[in-house]
Amino acid sequence: MDTIQSDNYPIYFDNSIAELAGFVARGKYTNVFILTDENTGQHCLPLLQERLGDNFDLIEVNAGEESKTIDFCIGIWKTLIDFGADRGSLLINLGGGVITDMGGFVASTYKRGIDFVHVPTTLLSQVDASVGGKTGVDVDGIKNIVGTFTQPKAVFMVADFLQTLPPRQVLSGLAEMLKHGLICDADYWNTLKVSDLTVPSAELVHRSVQIKNQVVIEDPTEKGIRKSLNFGHTIGHAVETYSLLNDADHLSHGEAIAVGMICEAWLANQKTGLPDEDLAEITAVLTTLYPPYKIAADCHKDLYALMQKDKKNYGGKINCTLLTHIGQYSVDNNCTEDELCDSLKYYAAL
Amino acid sequence: MDTIQSDNYPIYFDNSIAELAGFVARGKYTNVFILTDENTGQHCLPLLQERLGDNFDLIEVNAGEESKTIDFCIGIWKTLIDFGADRGSLLINLGGGVITDMGGFVASTYKRGIDFVHVPTTLLSQVDASVGGKTGVDVDGIKNIVGTFTQPKAVFMVADFLQTLPPRQVLSGLAEMLKHGLICDADYWNTLKVSDLTVPSAELVHRSVQIKNQVVIEDPTEKGIRKSLNFGHTIGHAVETYSLLNDADHLSHGEAIAVGMICEAWLANQKTGLPDEDLAEITAVLTTLYPPYKIAADCHKDLYALMQKDKKNYGGKINCTLLTHIGQYSVDNNCTEDELCDSLKYYAAL
């Protein structure tokens, strides 16, 4: 498959590990670090070691969203200091979105910026986190509240890593792929609807990355068109944070975004003219793929409070990216607390 | 005096507080925050309040380099979250280099970047920290190890703030002004030598800002000419950190840089052809202005270890910016441990 050219960096799909080895060799880096978690360290690192040898230092953090905090960043910065990492160092982020978001932030700020590349190992990080130059970590439980816009030097997609993912991890990434279709490619949405999505094909992943890449190249710092990617995320992020704080077995990112897309499709039907049949179709596809999440009426207030803290807001107003049709979006739709709560009720009544 | 145009932002010297008030009014910010410390909050904030009124929230940290840590940043990020700061917010950094460096870092990473401006209140921050787009904080006692290159939206120089500075604070800024002359303007050095430097005139401050600004505009991310500004800083930073960790009444930045400039002038005499008479002149001027600092032979090892952790190094080598003449610099001069220690001995024997 074609290498996709992003904002001054390539996204490789074929022979990616060999491409990574070549990249490292050409870069003449003084130090090479691999940031990973214990799962990825066990399952994916050996493939890299076959090509890279042992010419790197390993930094391992605990797996899970709980690690994506500023406190873990401090630990990684201290490790880089202790290893004598200088400005000629490279950080390879090998893992899911937690690793790529956090590793990107650490690298973009260590000594005011060292080179980093991503080797995303989950479907979600391949189709979403690893492309677009957003880095970020959580502070005080608020997702991605601190971060930078910094592009990696390259991204290496390895299709093999997706073969052994647990089904919930696949569903988590799939939500973003479905979103890519919903916001700007009805044909792609229609293809996804009828595809075997147990393990999405490399071609489908490639198409999602193409869509996301087109959007972020046009608008790297989220002033305009990039807001299209926020469809499902105003409510979805709040649901995700709420679940992380309250549920023992909390929702994955994509599971929460699926909830958010159903609610925001309902809002779109109310506010931006999304036809009834499109709302029905989106609801049917998503509720078939994703298990229901119970949202009690007494947590609407908490969810609304979380939405208010979302970094996408401006001037105290909550603005949603909605749809006008499947495949067409509309940004900056101000939604009231009542409207947002009504959309949660629509979801709860399904 | 002329407004200096930097990398897409103005540096005001005349009617600066009125300019600030106009800037804030034009910006239509959703929230305005002023970051300051208790000293500046007492002495300088009232002047701003006369013009800005009370349309801002105040964030105050303890005065002193000890505050410039990632932990204080976490406190400021949390405060911004609690105040509901969104992407349309402005952060006004009112203070010395600690406030401008740390405030710049906090703003450049909060929600992936909000607008910020500097109102530097010390001589050092006027001639150095507030110009050039470097932000940074300390981690694990290592100075500015984490930061970004992000430009402020404007800088407002208020000459009145310098009138009441304690003499040691003036000396701290003066070291950077002397450095500006030494690296690229022999005439300016000669003017400084014969000026009353109790409170440097606004014209001298303006000239220093001009010099620094020319350098950073040419090389915003320190790939080349900007390294000229590191003269005195390889040894000076190590001395500063050492003093911060070991001395009850520790050296100011400029006092440490004065030590560093003497040592590195000696290295320049050995390695890059700085004439004997230039070394003698630099040593005489600096030892007249600055009190001696006692460096025992048994701390050379500690100082060398600190130099190795300096972010300017590359590939394990220590590279110094040296002089070839007063007014001319030479970058990337690799210095051995023996040479660096010998330069410390030269200083100790004065």
Side-chain angles (χ1 to χ4, degrees), chain B residues 64 143 342 346:
Chain B
K143 283 178 61 64
D342 285 348
Y346 168 76

Side-chain angles (χ1 to χ4, degrees), chain A residues 3-11 131-133 151 213-214 216-217:
Chain A
T3 296
I4 294 177
Q5 198 56 36
S6 189
D7 185 5
N8 284 320
Y9 66 94
I11 305 169
V131 178
Q151 306 298 337
N213 188 52
Q214 278 165 2
V216 300
I217 282 182

